[in-house]
Amino acid sequence: MSSNTDFILAVEDLTVSFDGFKAVDSLNLYIDKQELRVIIGPNGAGKTTVLDLICGRTKATTGSIKFKNQELTKMAEHQIVRSGVGRKFQTPSIYDNLTVFENLEISFPRGRGVFSALAFRRTGDVIDRIHQVAEEIFLSEHLDQEAGLLSHGQKQWLEIGMLLMQDPELLMLDEPVAGMSTRERDQTAELLKRIAQNRSILIIEHDMEFVKKIAHKVTVLHLGKVLAEGTMDEVQNNEKVVEVYLGH
Ligand code: ADP
Ligand code: MG
């Protein structure tokens, strides 16, 4: 386990117990560079907890999480962010009273906190990056709009954009299309496939139509363990998966 790997993320024998209940149970998970991986599974399977463990919000009971061969289980949340892991939560955490531009601006790694970031001179490279990201997240026309006035889907994209400002090598998203319209879902699929071209992405998602659009490899989690792993076709035709998840 001390050996180096080519995987961007290598999770080995990861376990977390909450009062004796193993929400994640001896989990192994390997993500390649530039891979887009989808995790599916029934409610309570431990999906969100896996992301909590990777981003350092929850501490592992045992096991190892290596990101670019760095052990994350020993690092604090902010160190993990700085090492290149971005995490999007289910509810967008954007600043409603700031414009789209300002939300992106404060997410640029040079600024720490809202006030220091706004006081920071708007240098050319920051502005270029904001425009580039705004284009990627379909919000170029909305840069001067207050974020609170965006649609639900646009708020989700803005939060993805705020993560992209930090240029993470691994981006993790928890149910990013929940509550989105069909058109917004299609656009999000397009967005994620595009941004996966130069980073690794780990997505938890329930919407199987959406998963089909984006998935290369799918991991099915059940009772904190990997129940199955493979292409969408393989997973959909797996008897155990149909029994515990897709059959319902
Ligand atoms: P999923 O995202 O797959 O629906 P979660 O990872 O949220 O599942 O939860 C997995 C299990 O762990 C659930 O039974 C949940 O109640 C439990 N759990 C998650 N976080 C905690 C916690 N901080 N303390 C106690 N139990 C937790
Ligand atoms: Mg969850």
Side-chain angles (χ1 to χ4, degrees), residues 18-64:
F18 298 119
D19 298 321
F21 166 73
K22 289 179 178 173
V24 173
D25 189 2
S26 308
L27 181 76
N28 295 312
L29 184 70
Y30 301 91
I31 311 288
D32 276 321
K33 291 185 181 116
Q34 263 123 68
E35 180 177 353
L36 191 163
R37 177 75 62 90
V38 182
I39 299 182
I40 62 171
N43 276 329
K47 303 181 298 295
T48 298
T49 306
V50 170
L51 297 200
D52 288 342
L53 287 161
I54 296 168
C55 78
R57 167 164 284 222
T58 298
K59 287 292 157 207
T61 307
T62 55
S64 159

Coordinates of all heavy atoms in Angstrom, one line a residue, residues 18-64:
F18 N -19.8 4.9 12.3 CA -20.5 5.8 13.1 C -21.2 5.0 14.2 O -22.1 4.3 13.9 CB -21.6 6.6 12.3 CG -21.0 7.4 11.2 CD1 -21.4 7.1 9.8 CD2 -20.2 8.5 11.4 CE1 -20.9 7.9 8.8 CE2 -19.7 9.2 10.4 CZ -20.0 8.9 9.1
D19 N -20.7 5.1 15.4 CA -21.2 4.3 16.6 C -21.4 2.8 16.2 O -22.4 2.2 16.4 CB -22.6 4.8 17.0 CG -22.6 6.3 17.5 OD1 -21.6 6.6 18.1 OD2 -23.5 7.1 17.1
G20 N -20.3 2.3 15.6 CA -20.3 0.9 15.3 C -20.9 0.5 13.9 O -20.7 -0.6 13.4
F21 N -21.7 1.5 13.3 CA -22.3 1.2 12.0 C -21.3 1.7 10.9 O -20.9 2.8 10.8 CB -23.6 2.0 11.9 CG -24.2 2.1 10.5 CD1 -24.7 0.9 9.9 CD2 -24.1 3.3 9.8 CE1 -25.2 1.0 8.6 CE2 -24.6 3.3 8.5 CZ -25.1 2.2 7.9
K22 N -21.0 0.7 10.0 CA -20.0 1.0 9.0 C -20.7 1.6 7.8 O -21.3 0.9 6.9 CB -19.2 -0.3 8.6 CG -18.3 -0.7 9.7 CD -17.5 -2.0 9.3 CE -16.6 -2.4 10.4 NZ -15.9 -3.7 10.1
A23 N -20.7 2.9 7.7 CA -21.3 3.6 6.5 C -20.5 3.3 5.3 O -21.0 3.3 4.2 CB -21.4 5.1 6.8
V24 N -19.2 3.2 5.4 CA -18.3 2.8 4.3 C -17.5 1.7 4.9 O -16.9 1.8 6.0 CB -17.4 4.0 3.9 CG1 -16.3 3.6 2.9 CG2 -18.2 5.1 3.3
D25 N -17.4 0.6 4.1 CA -16.9 -0.7 4.7 C -15.9 -1.3 3.8 O -16.2 -1.9 2.8 CB -18.1 -1.6 4.9 CG -17.8 -2.9 5.6 OD1 -16.7 -3.0 6.1 OD2 -18.7 -3.7 5.8
S26 N -14.6 -1.1 4.1 CA -13.5 -1.7 3.4 C -13.6 -1.4 1.9 O -13.5 -2.3 1.0 CB -13.5 -3.3 3.5 OG -13.5 -3.6 4.9
L27 N -13.8 -0.2 1.6 CA -14.0 0.2 0.2 C -12.7 0.4 -0.6 O -11.7 1.0 -0.1 CB -14.7 1.6 0.2 CG -15.0 2.2 -1.2 CD1 -16.2 1.4 -1.9 CD2 -15.3 3.7 -1.1
N28 N -12.7 -0.1 -1.8 CA -11.6 0.1 -2.7 C -12.1 0.8 -4.0 O -13.1 0.4 -4.5 CB -10.9 -1.2 -3.2 CG -10.3 -1.9 -2.0 OD1 -9.5 -1.3 -1.2 ND2 -10.6 -3.2 -1.9
L29 N -11.4 1.9 -4.4 CA -11.9 2.6 -5.5 C -10.7 3.3 -6.2 O -9.9 3.9 -5.5 CB -12.9 3.7 -5.0 CG -13.6 4.6 -6.0 CD1 -14.6 3.9 -6.8 CD2 -14.2 5.8 -5.2
Y30 N -10.6 3.1 -7.5 CA -9.4 3.6 -8.2 C -9.9 4.5 -9.4 O -10.6 4.0 -10.2 CB -8.5 2.5 -8.7 CG -8.0 1.6 -7.6 CD1 -8.8 0.5 -7.3 CD2 -6.9 1.9 -7.0 CE1 -8.3 -0.4 -6.2 CE2 -6.4 1.1 -5.9 CZ -7.1 0.0 -5.6 OH -6.7 -0.8 -4.6
I31 N -9.5 5.7 -9.4 CA -9.9 6.6 -10.5 C -8.6 7.0 -11.3 O -7.6 7.5 -10.7 CB -10.5 7.9 -9.9 CG1 -11.6 7.6 -8.8 CG2 -11.1 8.8 -11.0 CD1 -12.9 7.0 -9.4
D32 N -8.8 6.9 -12.6 CA -7.7 7.3 -13.5 C -7.6 8.8 -13.7 O -8.6 9.5 -13.5 CB -7.9 6.7 -14.9 CG -7.4 5.2 -14.9 OD1 -6.3 5.0 -14.3 OD2 -8.1 4.4 -15.6
K33 N -6.5 9.3 -14.2 CA -6.4 10.6 -14.7 C -7.4 10.8 -15.8 O -7.5 10.0 -16.7 CB -4.9 10.9 -15.1 CG -4.0 10.9 -14.0 CD -2.6 11.3 -14.4 CE -1.6 11.3 -13.2 NZ -0.6 10.2 -13.3
Q34 N -8.0 12.0 -15.8 CA -9.0 12.3 -16.8 C -10.2 11.4 -16.9 O -10.9 11.3 -18.0 CB -8.3 12.4 -18.2 CG -8.0 13.9 -18.6 CD -6.5 14.0 -18.8 OE1 -6.0 13.5 -19.8 NE2 -5.8 14.7 -18.0
E35 N -10.4 10.6 -15.9 CA -11.6 9.7 -15.9 C -12.8 10.4 -15.4 O -12.7 11.3 -14.5 CB -11.3 8.5 -15.0 CG -12.5 7.5 -15.0 CD -12.3 6.2 -14.3 OE1 -11.2 6.0 -13.8 OE2 -13.3 5.5 -14.1
L36 N -14.0 10.1 -16.0 CA -15.2 10.6 -15.4 C -16.0 9.4 -14.9 O -16.4 8.5 -15.6 CB -16.1 11.2 -16.5 CG -17.3 12.1 -16.1 CD1 -17.7 12.9 -17.3 CD2 -18.5 11.2 -15.7
R37 N -16.0 9.3 -13.6 CA -16.6 8.1 -12.9 C -17.9 8.5 -12.2 O -18.0 9.5 -11.6 CB -15.7 7.6 -11.8 CG -16.3 6.4 -11.0 CD -16.2 5.1 -11.8 NE -14.9 4.7 -12.2 CZ -14.1 4.0 -11.4 NH1 -14.6 3.4 -10.3 NH2 -12.9 3.7 -11.8
V38 N -18.9 7.7 -12.4 CA -20.2 7.9 -11.7 C -20.4 6.8 -10.6 O -20.2 5.7 -10.9 CB -21.4 7.8 -12.8 CG1 -22.7 8.1 -12.0 CG2 -21.2 8.8 -13.9
I39 N -20.8 7.3 -9.5 CA -21.2 6.4 -8.4 C -22.7 6.4 -8.3 O -23.3 7.5 -8.1 CB -20.5 6.8 -7.1 CG1 -19.0 6.8 -7.2 CG2 -21.0 5.9 -5.9 CD1 -18.3 7.1 -5.9
I40 N -23.3 5.2 -8.3 CA -24.8 5.1 -8.1 C -25.0 4.2 -6.9 O -24.1 3.5 -6.5 CB -25.5 4.6 -9.4 CG1 -25.1 3.2 -9.8 CG2 -25.3 5.6 -10.5 CD1 -25.9 2.6 -10.9
G41 N -26.2 4.1 -6.5 CA -26.6 3.2 -5.4 C -27.8 3.7 -4.6 O -28.1 4.9 -4.7
P42 N -28.4 2.8 -3.9 CA -29.6 3.2 -3.1 C -29.3 4.2 -2.1 O -28.2 4.4 -1.7 CB -30.1 1.8 -2.5 CG -29.0 0.9 -2.6 CD -28.1 1.3 -3.7
N43 N -30.4 4.8 -1.6 CA -30.2 5.8 -0.5 C -29.6 5.1 0.7 O -29.9 4.0 1.0 CB -31.6 6.3 0.0 CG -32.0 7.5 -0.9 OD1 -31.1 8.2 -1.4 ND2 -33.3 7.6 -1.1
G44 N -28.6 5.8 1.4 CA -28.0 5.2 2.5 C -26.8 4.3 2.2 O -26.2 3.7 3.1
A45 N -26.5 4.2 0.9 CA -25.4 3.2 0.5 C -24.0 3.7 1.0 O -23.1 2.9 1.0 CB -25.4 3.1 -1.0
G46 N -23.9 5.0 1.3 CA -22.6 5.5 1.7 C -22.0 6.5 0.7 O -20.8 6.8 0.8
K47 N -22.7 6.8 -0.4 CA -22.1 7.6 -1.5 C -21.6 9.0 -1.0 O -20.5 9.3 -1.2 CB -23.2 7.8 -2.6 CG -23.7 6.5 -3.1 CD -24.7 6.7 -4.2 CE -26.0 7.5 -3.8 NZ -26.8 6.8 -2.8
T48 N -22.5 9.7 -0.3 CA -22.1 11.0 0.2 C -20.9 10.9 1.2 O -20.0 11.7 1.2 CB -23.3 11.8 0.8 OG1 -24.3 12.0 -0.3 CG2 -22.9 13.1 1.3
T49 N -21.0 9.9 2.0 CA -19.9 9.7 3.0 C -18.6 9.5 2.3 O -17.6 9.9 2.8 CB -20.3 8.5 3.9 OG1 -21.6 8.8 4.5 CG2 -19.3 8.4 5.0
V50 N -18.6 8.8 1.2 CA -17.3 8.6 0.5 C -16.7 9.9 0.0 O -15.5 10.2 0.3 CB -17.5 7.7 -0.8 CG1 -16.3 7.7 -1.7 CG2 -17.9 6.3 -0.4
L51 N -17.6 10.8 -0.5 CA -17.1 12.2 -0.8 C -16.6 12.9 0.4 O -15.6 13.6 0.4 CB -18.1 13.0 -1.6 CG -18.6 12.5 -2.9 CD1 -19.3 13.6 -3.7 CD2 -17.5 11.8 -3.8
D52 N -17.4 12.8 1.5 CA -17.0 13.5 2.8 C -15.6 13.0 3.2 O -14.8 13.8 3.8 CB -18.0 13.1 3.9 CG -19.3 13.9 3.7 OD1 -19.4 14.8 2.9 OD2 -20.3 13.4 4.3
L53 N -15.3 11.7 3.1 CA -14.0 11.1 3.5 C -12.9 11.7 2.6 O -11.8 12.0 3.1 CB -14.1 9.6 3.4 CG -14.9 8.9 4.5 CD1 -15.3 7.5 4.1 CD2 -14.1 8.9 5.8
I54 N -13.2 11.7 1.3 CA -12.1 12.2 0.3 C -11.8 13.6 0.6 O -10.6 14.0 0.6 CB -12.5 11.9 -1.1 CG1 -12.7 10.4 -1.4 CG2 -11.5 12.5 -2.1 CD1 -13.4 10.1 -2.7
C55 N -12.8 14.4 0.8 CA -12.5 15.9 1.0 C -12.2 16.2 2.4 O -11.9 17.4 2.7 CB -13.7 16.7 0.5 SG -15.1 16.9 1.5
G56 N -12.1 15.3 3.3 CA -11.6 15.5 4.7 C -12.6 16.0 5.7 O -12.3 16.4 6.8
R57 N -13.9 16.1 5.2 CA -14.9 16.5 6.1 C -15.2 15.5 7.2 O -15.6 15.8 8.3 CB -16.2 16.8 5.3 CG -17.4 17.0 6.1 CD -18.5 17.7 5.2 NE -18.2 19.1 5.0 CZ -19.1 20.0 5.0 NH1 -20.4 19.8 5.2 NH2 -18.8 21.3 4.9
T58 N -15.1 14.2 6.8 CA -15.3 13.1 7.8 C -13.9 12.4 7.8 O -13.3 12.2 6.8 CB -16.4 12.2 7.3 OG1 -17.6 12.9 7.2 CG2 -16.5 10.9 8.2
K59 N -13.5 12.0 9.0 CA -12.3 11.3 9.2 C -12.5 9.8 9.1 O -13.4 9.2 9.7 CB -11.6 11.6 10.5 CG -11.0 13.0 10.6 CD -9.8 13.2 9.6 CE -9.6 14.7 9.2 NZ -8.9 14.8 7.9
A60 N -11.6 9.1 8.4 CA -11.7 7.7 8.2 C -11.4 6.9 9.5 O -10.6 7.4 10.3 CB -10.7 7.2 7.1
T61 N -12.1 5.8 9.7 CA -11.7 5.0 10.9 C -10.4 4.2 10.6 O -9.5 4.2 11.3 CB -12.9 4.0 11.2 OG1 -14.1 4.8 11.4 CG2 -12.6 3.3 12.5
T62 N -10.4 3.6 9.4 CA -9.2 2.9 8.9 C -9.2 3.1 7.4 O -10.2 3.4 6.7 CB -9.2 1.4 9.2 OG1 -10.4 0.8 8.6 CG2 -9.1 1.1 10.7
G63 N -8.0 2.8 6.8 CA -7.9 2.8 5.4 C -7.1 4.0 4.8 O -6.6 4.8 5.6
S64 N -6.9 4.0 3.5 CA -6.1 5.0 2.9 C -6.8 5.6 1.7 O -7.5 5.0 1.0 CB -4.8 4.2 2.4 OG -4.2 4.9 1.4

